[in-house]
Amino acid sequence: YPELIQNMVGLNTDRGITAFVVGDTPFRLQPTGTALNAWGLNTSGALDNGDAGATSYDEYMAMYYPSGYTNDNTGNNIVVPASHMALRTIILNDQVAFPWFAPAGTRRGGVTNATAAGYISSEGEFVSVALNEGQRDTLYSNAVNPITFLSGSGLVVFGQKTRARNASALDRINVARLVIYLRSQLGKLAKPYLFE
């Protein structure tokens, strides 16, 4: 639900920026350069994240595209948001590496909980898509991380940008997650020294 991204960013700020927000893109966002660019830049002037455009920017939040195709617990084929794949990839990254490693690429960015990536057409059907270099570049220039199929590797998260408004060290997921990790660790370490 892209509409909830701003609420999650606000909650994270209220919590003292101790979490990393993973945002979704619309299920029906078509993978054309024009549509991706217009959505990422919010050329329609949308007031909130949704089908019309992306409005949220935050150093501790990332968006992923496209949606995934997988099975539910009873074996039915279902379409899942990009966050379904991204969160699993981040968790797997942390199991084999550390939060300050990029949860992307063929070594730590493999998607293991979906069989395809794509979007929902105007007819309501799932359309599988393997993003080409131009589509990936368009997404990445708009700070949206592509999930694509690579020959020999399968589905892979192919980016690690946050939705930072300006270029900085915090425009990369691994750096933002390192800062979050340090913030939480310093909080734990400092507690015994309160009033000392």
Side-chain angles (χ1 to χ4, degrees):
Y1 299 101
E3 300 82 7
L4 297 179
I5 292 172
Q6 196 54 47
N7 301 77
M8 293 172 66
V9 168
L11 176 63
N12 190 31
T13 302
D14 293 345
R15 287 175 36 118
I17 310 175
T18 56
F20 188 79
V21 177
V22 176
D24 288 316
T25 50
F27 283 116
R28 296 185 186 275
L29 180 59
Q30 295 187 4
T32 65
T34 305
L36 295 173
N37 205 40
W39 186 82
L41 293 174
N42 189 23
T43 57
S44 67
L47 300 176
D48 195 8
N49 300 295
D51 290 343
T55 61
S56 293
Y57 290 92
D58 191 77
E59 290 88 357
Y60 301 99
M61 184 264 291
M63 288 182 175
Y64 293 84
Y65 175 86
S67 303
Y69 193 68
T70 188
N71 296 351
D72 65 9
N73 292 336
T74 58
N76 298 316
N77 292 330
I78 58 170
V79 179
V80 293
S83 62
H84 175 84
M85 298 177 288
L87 288 169
R88 170 80 176 240
T89 302
I90 290 170
I91 291 167
L92 291 176
N93 170 74
D94 292 359
Q95 288 179 344
V96 300
F98 297 97
W100 51 87
F101 283 80
T106 57
R107 293 185 68 195
R108 292 179 304 277
V111 174
T112 59
N113 60 343
T115 56
Y119 67 101
I120 297 178
S121 70
S122 57
E123 288 83 32
E125 297 291 324
F126 180 80
V127 179
S128 180
V129 63
L131 300 174
N132 62 39
E133 187 176 351
Q135 292 163 322
R136 293 192 307 258
D137 290 348
T138 300
L139 286 165
Y140 214 58
S141 67
N142 288 303
V144 177
N145 299 300
I147 299 172
T148 191
F149 181 84
L150 296 178
S151 297
S153 299
L155 278 178
V156 173
V157 174
F158 206 74
Q160 70 131 359
K161 269 196 173 181
T162 66
R163 285 284 290 180
R165 189 174 296 278
N166 301 311
S168 74
L170 289 173
D171 69 359
R172 297 290 187 261
I173 292 172
N174 62 328
V175 176
R177 293 188 68 225
L178 171 62
V179 171
I180 292 166
Y181 176 79
L182 290 174
R183 186 177 282 124
S184 64
Q185 292 300 104
L186 288 172
K188 290 176 190 173
L189 292 171
K191 270 188 184 165
Y193 300 102
L194 219 59
F195 302 108
E196 292 294 324

